[in-house]
Amino acid sequence: MTVDIVTIFPAMVAEPLKAGVVGRAIDRGLLDVRVRDLRDFTTDRHRVVDDVPYGGGPGMVLKPDPFFRALDAIEAERGAPLTVVLTSPQGRRFTQAEAERLSARPRLVLLCGRYEGFDDRVRERVTDELSIGDYVLSGGELPALVILDAVARLIPGVVGDEQSVAEESFSRGLLDFPQFTRPPEVTVRSATTSAERVLKVPEVLLSGNHAEIRRWRKREALARTLERRPDLLAGAELDEDEKQMLQELRALQGVQHRRMAGGK
Ligand code: 9D3
């Protein structure tokens, strides 16, 4: 897959690309990423990328023509068709399903916004407009990195088996089960009372009984999802065993809630 990131702050995205899963995918030739400075596609002496909004108002707007020239250059180099993603607060929410869709595209372009946004005519060459969530950022560079990270790990060979197994629970629509590693006991001091407590790893994980461990993990993943993200359960793919467990957990949770509320 080829990815081109167009930004007025190339340094903001270049460094993070070298680290972790994405960096390794690039080193191994599974991913070909180029960061392009929008200013390189201006034609004036001062390399101006922004201008005042027509109709007045505060702030600046990114000019359309540097984007058009950047897209022409990318298409000449990479070929057509391009999947052109505009990062913007007005976009559809970026989800795992969107990441899966984009990971099947051979040529991706990520356009990063700044200031008050883009001249609306840029959208003429955009195939997808995406937001990463309902909070205000100062530009599209971090969203572009978020999108690339989520997409890259879905490219075959980028992430080893072990992580794809761990990811199963999320793509199935559940939160992860709790994880533990050595040592089997740790002493912690409570943040609030300063009292010392010895925290043990759940017995079942030390038992070596793998069937029992699998069931425990299923149940914990379901319990956490029910507690923290019940909205996910509507879209989750559950087997019969899990549906049964969920019923039990719901009954239990009902009891706990009535207790907490001090109901009679
Ligand atoms: C909707 C807010 N706009 C009206 C005043 C101003 C504005 C705020 C932030 C315009 C652009 C930006 C920069 N943000 C992005 O480019 C952006 C973004 C975000 O802020 N949150 C979540 N996802 C994204 S994707 C791109």
Side-chain angles (χ1 to χ4, degrees):
M1 172 186 277
T2 73
V3 180
D4 293 87
I5 304 176
V6 181
T7 168
I8 60 167
F9 294 121
M12 194 171 168
V13 292
E15 208 55 33
L17 290 174
K18 297 178 190 168
V21 166
V22 170
R24 189 155 38 88
I26 294 169
D27 290 343
R28 292 163 61 205
L30 296 169
L31 200 56
D32 176 2
V33 183
R34 282 198 59 179
V35 181
R36 318 223 181 213
D37 188 341
L38 186 66
R39 284 187 204 284
D40 291 345
F41 302 96
T42 55
T43 52
D44 62 306
R45 247 173 66 72
H46 297 104
R47 304 187 4 122
V48 175
V49 291
D50 59 340
D51 205 341
V52 296
Y54 273 124
M60 301 292 273
V61 173
L62 288 167
K63 294 164 67 60
D65 37 309
F67 283 106
F68 296 147
R69 274 191 293 274
L71 288 168
D72 288 342
I74 293 165
E75 191 172 294
E77 220 172 286
R78 305 293 209 180
L82 300 173
T83 299
V84 181
V85 174
L86 188 71
T87 58
S88 116
Q90 283 78 50
R92 288 195 299 282
R93 176 73 59 84
F94 180 66
T95 60
Q96 190 65 21
E98 291 286 347
E100 278 164 21
R101 205 173 50 75
L102 293 177
S103 72
R105 303 292 165 87
R107 290 174 289 271
L108 207 58
V109 180
L110 298 166
L111 304 180
C112 306
R114 278 277 150 178
Y115 314 120
E116 293 308 302
F118 309 80
D119 182 303
D120 208 67
R121 292 167 291 184
V122 170
R123 290 183 170 83
E124 197 60 39
R125 296 198 49 187
V126 164
T127 58
D128 298 89
E129 186 166 345
L130 299 174
S131 160
I132 63 165
D134 294 339
Y135 34 81
V136 180
L137 298 172
S138 38
E141 285 77 11
L142 294 173
L145 288 169
V146 166
I147 292 167
L148 176 54
D149 191 276
V151 168
R153 47 189 299 113
L154 295 173
I155 298 169
V158 167
V159 173
D161 290 351
E162 102 197 57
Q163 266 135 319
S164 57
V165 172
E167 229 160 43
E168 243 173 52
S169 84
F170 197 79
S171 51
R172 278 176 53 228
L174 294 179
L175 300 182
D176 287 343
F177 50 77
Q179 302 270 22
F180 297 87
T181 186
R182 286 181 287 186
E185 294 188 359
V186 285
T187 307
V188 291
R189 201 160 33 73
S190 157
T192 46
T193 68
S194 280
E196 286 207 340
R197 296 219 300 141
V198 177
L199 301 185
K200 294 183 176 176
V201 174
E203 261 321 305
V204 58
L205 298 179
L206 311 175
S207 70
N209 184 335
H210 293 288
E212 213 184 308
I213 290 169
R214 235 182 332 270
R215 274 189 70 75
W216 181 85
R217 285 177 165 171
K218 267 187 178 185
R219 197 179 164 86
E220 290 293 320
L222 284 166
R224 272 189 167 184
T225 310
L226 184 61
E227 177 70 26
R228 303 184 190 184
R229 293 291 308 278
D231 58 301
L232 293 178
L233 291 169
E237 295 168 31
L238 304 179
D239 59 32
E240 282 311 311
D241 200 29
E242 288 166 326
K243 284 179 190 163
Q244 168 90 47
M245 278 182 190
L246 187 57
Q247 282 208 324
E248 290 168 18
L249 288 165
R250 280 199 221 270
L252 264 169
Q253 197 190 44
V255 171
Q256 280 161 0
H257 275 294
R258 280 189 292 279
R259 286 234 183 86
M260 295 264 268
K264 299 160 193 133

